[in-house]
Amino acid sequence: DIERAITVMEAYAFPNNIKHLFAFSHSLPVEYPRVLQYDTLSEYSRQGILESTVHGYGGDLSGSMWRLSDVNQTFRLCESYPPLLVVPRAMKDQEIMHVANFRSGRRIPTLSWGDGTTGATLWRSSQPKSGVSGQDSYDEKFLTIIAQSCTSKLSPLGVKTRVKNPELLIVDCRARASALANRAAGAGYENTANYPYAKLEFFNIGNIHTMRDSIKSLMGLFTGYNTSDTSFSKAVEDTQWLSHVRHVLKAAHDSAVSVTKCVPVLVHCSHGWDRTAQVCGLAQILLDPYYRTIDGFAVLVQKEFLSFGHPLQMRCGHAFDPKARDEDNVSPITLQFLDCMWQLVNQYPHYFEFNKKYLLTIADHIYSGRFGTFLLNCEADRVRFVYIC
């Protein structure tokens, strides 16, 4: 009886067809009103970086250095990006396609957040295909425009002064050794000789395999360790989980500080959908109080993780036969982001509209399969899924 019960639970938890998950097989009827928290145009208009009147997706945005491009409307530019992207107004879609050829997975730099008052911006992308000595003039033009977008900067005392030379902080979430290793495969990182206005910093955040091993060690402590043991805290620290959390938070903090000083920031790791999502999301929590509200946090998660293609299905192993799924690509990236959020909420509870219980509820439902929000890998997958259903 126990074996049959386990078999039934596994069949429901890991169905061969994702449509058989609870979120879809027990979903509300189509005519029932649904609430979509994140809307691309509404969110970027709220930030104040786009004009309030937009003539079509790729239309005139006079007064703004940026435009909302529909170059990815049919996912022809990048499968893992959303249909609408904020790009420099001074660059044509044809040039944007050239930039895509120079970025891993064709994940071009695109704007995550901007300050409509100061003009400071936060961007995200994947690593460049620079190899040992490669470069691309279109990519250099793109980043030059970003660097030149802030005409003034703020001192620590809040005094605004005119910028004499363009600046850009490139936040590479990886360790330098990891980035160097990728050069052998034709990828790597930006050569500052080709981007003379840029400052490149590495933040030593581990990859998905490092995070998976770390949380396995942490989970092992709570299944076979006596928490009353005086060495328990040391055992937790030895798993390196909290150390990884600190690295993620530091990268987010430094990114946010740079933006507040009116120095634009470009964040990337290798693919730009794991560590990049964590750092960009947390930096915006520090920068924008809207994201510290319940509605705002929902918008942030949908934008940075879902819309920009964090592969939740692959990382969480949703709807796969546990005997056949690719365990090497399973990693607790979203859970780690929520742990970083927990640290912030725990230290500054009065800065948030929600509490730690809210974060725990989200953490539960990342894996529960009750809601479709945390399923599938990207916007393109979700569009196709809705179509076939």
Side-chain angles (χ1 to χ4, degrees):
D1 290 340
I2 294 176
E3 289 180 355
R4 285 199 298 271
I6 292 175
T7 301
V8 170
M9 285 190 290
E10 285 188 346
Y12 278 99
F14 304 100
N16 293 328
N17 189 328
I18 195 172
K19 290 191 293 184
H20 297 157
L21 280 175
F22 180 89
F24 304 119
S25 60
H26 296 78
S27 60
L28 295 171
V30 176
E31 64 273 12
Y32 195 89
R34 286 170 166 79
V35 178
L36 181 64
Q37 285 92 343
Y38 173 59
D39 174 75
T40 304
L41 180 57
S42 298
E43 172 56 16
Y44 286 113
S45 296
R46 180 197 68 82
Q47 295 175 19
I49 59 169
L50 301 178
E51 293 295 313
S52 57
T53 301
V54 181
H55 305 289
Y57 289 135
D60 183 23
L61 296 172
S62 299
S64 172
M65 288 191 64
W66 322 116
R67 65 185 178 93
L68 200 58
S69 172
D70 61 354
V71 66
N72 201 40
Q73 189 64 39
T74 57
F75 305 105
R76 68 190 180 100
L77 176 122
C78 177
E79 277 276 313
S80 58
Y81 262 176
L84 300 178
L85 301 169
V86 177
V87 298
R89 189 180 176 206
M91 294 195 72
K92 300 177 181 179
D93 284 347
Q94 186 177 3
E95 294 177 300
I96 298 298
M97 297 294 284
H98 279 285
V99 175
N101 293 331
F102 187 65
R103 293 279 166 174
S104 295
R106 300 180 61 81
R107 293 172 63 87
I108 65 169
T110 187
L111 192 144
S112 281
W113 186 83
D115 188 326
T117 302
T118 65
T121 48
L122 177 69
W123 299 73
R124 59 178 296 166
S125 72
S126 63
Q127 65 185 343
K129 294 180 180 178
S130 55
V132 176
S133 59
Q135 63 183 104
D136 182 82
S137 60
Y138 295 101
D139 193 80
E140 291 166 16
K141 177 182 177 181
F142 197 119
L143 268 60
T144 298
I145 294 171
I146 297 175
Q148 294 174 338
S149 62
C150 283
T151 57
S152 61
K153 63 187 298 184
L154 296 176
S155 71
L157 297 177
V159 178
K160 183 179 289 188
T161 57
R162 189 168 184 80
V163 173
K164 296 180 180 179
N165 299 305
E167 294 180 84
L168 173 66
L169 173 63
I170 300 177
V171 172
D172 194 320
C173 300
R174 304 166 293 182
R176 181 184 291 272
S178 299
L180 278 170
N182 284 351
R183 297 180 70 183
Y189 54 89
E190 292 83 359
N191 183 346
T192 52
N194 301 325
Y195 306 88
Y197 43 80
K199 179 182 180 182
L200 175 65
E201 292 189 13
F202 296 93
F203 282 85
N204 301 307
I205 302 173
N207 60 24
I208 59 170
H209 314 296
T210 299
M211 301 309 176
R212 181 180 62 246
D213 294 342
S214 180
I215 200 168
K216 282 184 176 179
S217 298
L218 183 65
M219 292 168 61
L221 288 181
F222 291 95
T223 56
Y225 201 95
N226 183 0
T227 56
S228 62
D229 193 318
T230 55
S231 64
F232 179 74
S233 295
K234 180 181 182 302
V236 171
E237 190 64 33
D238 288 344
T239 68
Q240 295 294 303
W241 179 259
L242 294 178
S243 177
H244 298 317
V245 167
R246 286 193 288 270
H247 281 299
V248 175
L249 285 170
K250 184 180 188 305
H253 170 268
D254 288 4
S255 298
V257 168
S258 180
V259 171
T260 59
K261 293 180 179 178
C262 299
V263 176
V265 176
L266 170 65
V267 181
H268 71 70
C269 46
S270 296
H271 295 93
W273 57 35
D274 291 313
R275 291 165 282 195
T276 300
Q278 293 175 323
V279 172
C280 285
L282 291 165
Q284 289 168 79
I285 287 287
L286 302 177
L287 288 165
D288 193 336
Y290 170 68
Y291 296 127
R292 292 177 228 139
T293 67
I294 293 175
D295 290 342
F297 188 69
V299 167
L300 180 70
V301 171
Q302 289 185 45
K303 174 164 65 83
E304 294 301 322
F305 284 85
L306 307 184
S307 185
F308 282 122
H310 172 63
L312 272 159
Q313 181 172 332
M314 182 165 61
R315 293 290 178 258
C316 298
H318 288 314
F320 287 114
D321 181 342
K323 298 178 181 178
R325 66 178 181 166
D326 185 5
E327 294 289 350
D328 196 48
N329 275 310
V330 173
S331 189
I333 301 302
T334 316
L335 191 64
Q336 187 176 56
F337 167 75
L338 292 175
D339 194 343
C340 293
M341 282 297 306
W342 188 93
Q343 305 295 335
L344 295 175
V345 173
N346 189 50
Q347 293 183 58
Y348 306 102
H350 300 300
Y351 283 70
F352 294 86
E353 189 180 42
F354 51 86
N355 56 24
K356 292 178 286 186
K357 186 176 180 180
Y358 179 62
L359 298 176
L360 289 172
T361 301
I362 295 175
D364 285 340
H365 291 301
I366 289 173
Y367 296 96
S368 72
R370 181 179 178 184
F371 305 105
T373 304
F374 300 110
L375 301 175
L376 303 176
N377 287 320
C378 59
E379 291 273 307
D381 285 354
R382 295 180 187 98
V383 169
R384 296 186 188 109
F385 179 81
V386 171
Y387 179 77
I388 64 175
C389 288

